[in-house]
Amino acid sequence: MASKDADPSLGYLTRKDTEVKLPRPTRVKNKTPAPIQITAEQILREARERQEAEIRPPKQKITDPTELADYRLRKRKEFEDLIRRVRWNQSVWIKYAQWEESQKDFNRARSVWERALEVDYRNHTLWLKYAEVEMKNKFINHARNVWDRAVTLLPRVDQLWYKYIHMEEMLGNVAGARQIFERWMSWMPDQQGWLSYIKFELRYNEVERARAIYERFVQCHPKVGAWIRYAKFEMKNGEIVRARNVYERAVEKLADEEDAEQLFVAFAEFEERCKETERARCIYKFALDHIPKGSAEDLYRKFVAFEKQYGDKEGIEDAIVGKRRFQYEDEVRKNPLNYDAWFDYIRLEESVGSKGRIREVYERAIANVPPAEEKRYWQRYIYLWINYALYEELDAGDMERTRDVYRECLKLIPHEKFSFAKIWLLAAQFEIRQLNLMGARQILGNAIGKAPKDKIFKKYIEIELQLGNIDRCRKLYEKYLEWAPENCYAWSKYAELERSLAETERARAIFELAITQPALDMPELLWKAYIDFEISEGEYERTRGLYERLLDRTKHLKVWISYANFEASAMEENDESSDLPQDGVEEYNHEAKKECVQRARRVFERAVNYYRTSAPDLKEERAMLLEEWLKTESSFGELGDISVVQSKLPKKLKKRKQITSEDGGVTGYEEYFDYVFPEENQATNLKILEAAYKWKKQKITSDDE
């Protein structure tokens, strides 16, 4: 039983006898670090020192043929047993065959190799080892046989072909090596196989044969790299015409390939080395026209370098412009709605000055209409049209094309959703520059009808005013106010126009109509304009009436201050004062100033009473009003009375109040200023006296009890 389970490689021992039983791993209970730490280096050194010597079988000395035969028999039996167990393991076969070779029994070694190949003939390593054994022992015909069978069974393993050819070449059998190459080429190997064949022929100076192989090579592998190698081969042999012919044939066949850029660059550099600069320039330009823009970066760089070396100033500029042109082409191809890229592209073309290309780029740019009808998407796009029209007018000088650009742009904009006043105004101003006043009026009229805007009304009115058409201005203002009755700017400008024409009553009527509007965007400006108008006309009573009407609407601090300042500066004009003597005039002016002071003081008193009784919470506004009153009284000089105001001035106190959070908690304190007026101080003192009186009364009562 033991002999049955015995392993030949272990003598008469079984696997079980040789197993090393390791102790079970113990669990570490104490994981704290030891007081003396041991490094890994110490552990390895101790293991090395305690390692037992390796047990090796004793060397056997063979002294006679009988012992040799026994040794060989035993060894062969071991190999055969091992093969029976693992016959698919190629290393066992190789060791077996090499052992037979070491015993100089070549027939047995061949038998082992053949048996191994029967097991797995697709393993090219076996073929290589087999052939190397035959070659090493100088069995040339046997080696040829092995190589021949190997390349027949495994024609796609290049290493077999290389080894076979190398052996024949080392033996000086050039014809045999060539024949093997031909057999290999019939299988159409990769480029390296063809190049090896070409190098083989060139080693023996067979240039014509190498040329013929190159022809077959480029037919088998019609790639750019193959054609370039062919051309360089011809160039190296001094055949410039043949090399040019190769490049031309390659361009005809591969001009549309992805790596055509490499071919054109090589062709142009070839012509450059041949001193054919014009040919090279034509090749570069042809390539730039045919290669896609995104894959021509290296070509552009080479072209610019070429022009810098051989071209003139115009050629260099054209090369640089061409490079930038294709960069912009790539950008707009990736994103046609990138209008900034279109602007850069257009500026580039305008710097060159070719009208045809400029118009072409403009047309391509404006064809990319924004996909959504929202103004924010059109705001950048509309400037393409504006720049196009300005180019046609200023640079190209084509007025009809300019008019067509404006017309098409206005047709394209969806005016029912949004519009651009700039386009309408530019189109109208263009017609005015062409002395076509009717055309400009028609454009602006259409603008008011389709998409009325403040800018359009203002500009249209300005144009008509410059032309002196007052009736048209009035009609435009009426249209303007019909469209936007709340626009205080329009009302003020309309009244200002009438006043400039000395139409005082019309201006006053416009102001009256304006202040009666139910809604106004900036009523304070309108009232101020109306009041200033009446003051400039010297209508002080009307001005006072306006202030009173304004106070009926609002009691704002600025209104009170403006009213008081008006009264302080208003002087009633009286023609009779001119007939008085000098002393009488001075007395009259003094009385008038006195009247002004009294009127201003009455306005301030009304304002203070309003804030004290109707708006007691507006303490800060009341304090500001009193400060303004004090300044006004100071400006009156001897007619002013500062004491009237000083008795009413408040005390400014700094106080603190709690800041509460949303949940009701106190988060901190905030400082603020409070104003305490004299009447509040008196009331506080009265309350204190009343409380003291009550306290004393209670005390007397308690003492009596």
Side-chain angles (χ1 to χ4, degrees):
M1 188 69 181
S3 62
K4 185 179 178 180
D5 296 335
D7 191 345
S9 63
L10 301 173
Y12 295 99
L13 298 176
T14 61
R15 291 281 183 185
K16 191 172 182 180
D17 297 333
T18 60
E19 287 180 355
V20 179
K21 294 182 180 180
L22 298 174
R24 293 179 60 187
T26 58
R27 298 178 64 183
V28 180
K29 295 181 180 179
N30 186 6
K31 295 184 179 180
T32 58
I36 300 175
Q37 296 293 315
I38 302 175
T39 62
E41 184 181 357
Q42 289 172 321
I43 294 171
L44 292 174
R45 190 182 297 115
E46 286 184 13
R48 182 74 176 172
E49 290 173 355
R50 296 181 183 182
Q51 189 174 9
E52 295 180 358
E54 184 180 356
I55 301 173
R56 294 183 181 181
K59 290 183 180 180
Q60 183 180 3
K61 291 184 179 181
I62 299 171
T63 58
D64 58 3
T66 306
E67 289 182 1
L68 178 60
D70 290 341
Y71 165 72
R72 287 177 176 174
L73 180 63
R74 189 173 66 253
K75 199 71 176 175
R76 287 189 182 112
K77 186 178 182 303
E78 290 176 2
F79 277 120
E80 290 294 340
D81 291 340
L82 193 58
I83 285 170
R84 274 195 297 273
R85 281 168 38 212
V86 287
R87 67 190 300 266
W88 59 85
N89 191 340
Q90 63 175 0
S91 63
V92 176
W93 289 103
I94 293 171
K95 287 179 181 178
Y96 189 7
Q98 288 176 346
W99 180 82
E100 291 289 0
E101 180 196 357
S102 68
Q103 300 301 312
K104 304 300 180 181
D105 195 343
F106 297 109
N107 289 329
R108 283 183 179 274
R110 289 190 189 100
S111 175
V112 174
W113 285 117
E114 294 295 337
R115 289 167 61 195
L117 291 173
E118 286 179 2
V119 174
D120 186 11
Y121 75 91
R122 291 186 179 86
N123 191 338
H124 68 278
T125 306
L126 290 173
W127 292 102
L128 290 171
K129 297 284 186 182
Y130 187 8
E132 285 174 1
V133 168
E134 297 289 5
M135 289 190 297
K136 185 169 64 173
N137 294 285
K138 300 182 180 179
F139 297 112
I140 303 303
N141 288 329
H142 283 287
R144 282 197 181 105
N145 189 341
V146 173
W147 286 126
D148 191 77
R149 290 161 58 200
V151 297
T152 303
L153 292 172
L154 303 173
R156 294 298 179 189
V157 181
D158 295 344
Q159 192 176 5
L160 298 174
W161 292 103
Y162 283 128
K163 292 282 188 180
Y164 190 9
I165 293 166
H166 180 67
M167 184 191 78
E168 295 293 352
E169 194 172 358
M170 289 296 101
L171 294 172
N173 186 10
V174 178
R178 185 176 291 118
Q179 188 178 3
I180 297 166
F181 264 123
E182 288 296 332
R183 285 177 60 191
W184 187 15
M185 295 305 111
S186 64
W187 289 96
M188 294 185 180
D190 59 3
Q191 292 191 15
Q192 196 59 42
W194 289 94
L195 295 175
S196 299
Y197 191 9
I198 292 166
K199 288 179 182 178
F200 166 77
E201 295 292 357
L202 291 176
R203 279 199 295 272
Y204 300 100
N205 295 322
E206 296 288 347
V207 178
E208 288 299 327
R209 285 181 180 274
R211 185 174 290 119
I213 296 167
Y214 262 121
E215 287 291 340
R216 293 160 59 194
F217 174 37
V218 296
Q219 298 301 323
C220 179
H221 295 283
K223 302 292 183 182
V224 170
W227 285 98
I228 292 175
R229 284 179 180 275
Y230 188 10
K232 287 183 177 179
F233 160 75
E234 296 290 3
M235 185 68 180
K236 187 176 180 181
N237 290 294
E239 299 287 345
I240 295 176
V241 177
R242 286 179 181 270
R244 184 176 289 120
N245 184 29
V246 171
Y247 276 121
E248 290 172 355
R249 287 163 56 197
V251 168
E252 289 177 4
K253 293 183 178 182
L254 306 175
D256 297 329
E257 295 291 326
E258 291 183 359
D259 50 354
E261 178 191 14
Q262 186 181 357
L263 175 62
F264 284 114
V265 170
F267 193 5
E269 289 178 347
F270 160 75
E271 295 292 357
E272 188 178 345
R273 283 194 296 271
C274 296
K275 309 300 181 184
E276 296 284 350
T277 55
E278 285 303 319
R279 282 177 177 269
R281 184 176 286 110
C282 292
I283 292 167
Y284 276 123
K285 291 183 178 180
F286 176 81
L288 292 174
D289 292 336
H290 286 77
I291 292 180
K293 309 328 183 253
S295 59
E297 295 180 2
D298 188 50
L299 185 65
Y300 278 121
R301 189 171 64 253
K302 297 281 187 182
F303 183 36
V304 171
F306 169 79
E307 287 293 347
K308 287 181 179 178
Q309 185 174 0
Y310 298 103
D312 53 4
K313 183 179 179 181
E314 294 180 0
I316 296 171
E317 290 178 354
D318 289 342
I320 295 172
V321 167
K323 183 176 180 180
R324 292 174 59 195
R325 181 181 291 132
F326 282 109
Q327 289 175 350
Y328 291 136
E329 284 285 350
D330 187 47
E331 289 184 18
V332 299
R333 178 179 56 81
K334 291 178 182 176
N335 184 9
L337 298 178
N338 184 4
Y339 300 121
D340 290 329
W342 283 111
F343 282 121
D344 294 337
Y345 194 3
I346 290 165
R347 278 196 290 271
L348 173 67
E349 294 296 348
E350 287 180 347
S351 66
V352 177
S354 175
K355 289 185 180 180
R357 292 191 68 92
I358 295 170
R359 284 171 176 159
E360 178 192 354
V361 177
Y362 267 121
E363 292 293 337
R364 288 171 57 198
I366 61 178
N368 297 293
V369 182
E373 291 186 350
E374 295 184 26
K375 190 168 185 178
R376 58 194 179 100
Y377 296 121
W378 288 64
Q379 284 175 339
R380 195 73 178 135
Y381 167 73
I382 208 68
Y383 277 95
L384 288 171
W385 287 94
I386 294 173
N387 288 3
Y388 191 11
L390 293 176
Y391 166 75
E392 292 291 353
E393 181 186 0
L394 301 177
D395 295 343
D398 194 336
M399 303 308 162
E400 285 303 319
R401 287 183 69 93
T402 308
R403 190 172 285 114
D404 292 339
V405 170
Y406 280 123
R407 189 182 301 116
E408 293 300 322
C409 179
L410 291 172
K411 285 181 184 177
L412 184 65
I413 299 171
H415 298 291
E416 64 277 1
K417 293 187 177 180
F418 59 86
S419 185
F420 293 92
K422 184 181 288 291
I423 289 290
W424 292 105
L425 295 176
L426 287 173
Q429 288 168 348
F430 165 74
E431 295 295 346
I432 292 173
R433 286 194 294 273
Q434 303 306 312
L435 304 179
N436 184 9
L437 192 57
M438 291 301 296
R441 283 176 175 155
Q442 184 179 2
I443 291 170
L444 292 172
N446 290 336
I448 291 173
K450 290 183 179 180
K453 285 179 172 286
D454 285 331
K455 286 183 180 179
I456 296 174
F457 277 111
K458 291 175 184 176
K459 196 66 181 178
Y460 197 180
I461 292 169
E462 181 184 344
I463 291 170
E464 294 295 351
L465 191 59
Q466 289 174 351
L467 295 172
N469 295 321
I470 304 302
D471 292 335
R472 284 184 177 273
C473 292
R474 285 174 176 152
K475 289 180 182 178
L476 287 173
Y477 270 120
E478 290 170 5
K479 291 279 187 183
Y480 193 1
L481 293 170
E482 285 177 11
W483 173 67
E486 74 283 353
N487 193 329
C488 293
Y489 173 84
W491 288 107
S492 301
K493 286 295 181 180
Y494 191 8
E496 186 179 335
L497 171 67
E498 296 295 350
R499 184 189 169 202
S500 65
L501 299 172
E503 295 285 350
T504 307
E505 291 302 323
R506 289 178 69 95
R508 186 174 287 119
I510 291 168
F511 274 123
E512 286 292 335
L513 188 61
I515 62 176
T516 57
Q517 296 299 315
L520 293 170
D521 54 0
M522 290 186 290
E524 64 276 5
L525 296 181
L526 184 64
W527 280 94
K528 184 177 185 305
Y530 193 5
I531 290 170
D532 291 343
F533 163 74
E534 293 293 358
I535 291 174
S536 63
E537 294 294 327
E539 298 288 345
Y540 296 115
E541 285 301 326
R542 288 182 179 274
T543 306
R544 290 190 185 96
L546 281 177
Y547 271 118
E548 294 296 336
R549 289 163 65 187
L550 181 57
L551 286 173
D552 291 339
R553 295 194 177 198
T554 177
K555 297 290 195 300
H556 196 275
L557 174 65
K558 289 184 178 180
V559 178
W560 288 109
I561 293 175
S562 177
Y563 190 8
N565 290 336
F566 159 72
E567 291 292 1
S569 58
M571 294 284 290
E572 292 285 354
E573 292 187 2
N574 194 345
D575 295 337
E576 295 177 0
S577 62
S578 60
D579 299 333
L580 297 174
Q582 185 66 27
D583 296 340
V585 171
E586 290 180 0
E587 186 178 353
Y588 177 79
N589 290 337
H590 183 74
E591 291 297 328
K593 287 182 181 180
K594 201 171 183 180
E595 181 67 21
C596 290
V597 170
Q598 291 175 358
R599 287 179 181 275
R601 195 172 288 149
R602 281 196 292 270
V603 173
F604 277 120
E605 288 175 353
R606 283 176 60 193
V608 170
N609 290 333
Y610 165 75
Y611 282 115
R612 183 173 62 246
T613 57
S614 301
D617 295 335
L618 302 177
K619 292 184 176 182
E620 188 173 359
E621 285 78 356
R622 182 179 171 188
M624 292 171 65
L625 179 70
L626 289 169
E627 289 177 3
E628 188 66 29
W629 189 2
L630 184 63
K631 290 180 184 178
T632 307
E633 291 288 349
S634 301
S635 64
F636 287 151
E638 61 181 9
L639 296 176
D641 188 359
I642 299 174
S643 60
V644 176
V645 187
Q646 287 178 340
S647 61
K648 298 179 180 181
L649 289 175
K651 291 182 179 180
K652 191 175 182 181
L653 302 177
K654 184 187 287 186
K655 294 185 178 181
R656 292 186 359 175
K657 63 180 179 181
Q658 292 181 350
I659 301 175
T660 57
S661 59
E662 294 180 356
D663 56 358
V666 179
T667 59
Y669 292 89
E670 180 186 9
E671 290 186 351
Y672 70 98
F673 289 100
D674 192 14
Y675 297 91
V676 179
F677 291 91
E679 65 271 13
E680 294 178 353
N681 198 8
Q682 292 176 4
T684 304
N685 292 336
L686 288 173
K687 287 181 181 179
I688 292 172
L689 290 173
E690 186 177 355
Y693 177 73
K694 286 182 180 180
W695 175 78
K696 189 168 184 180
K697 188 175 181 180
Q698 289 175 358
K699 188 176 181 183
I700 293 171
T701 306
S702 61
D703 290 342
D704 293 341
E705 291 176 354

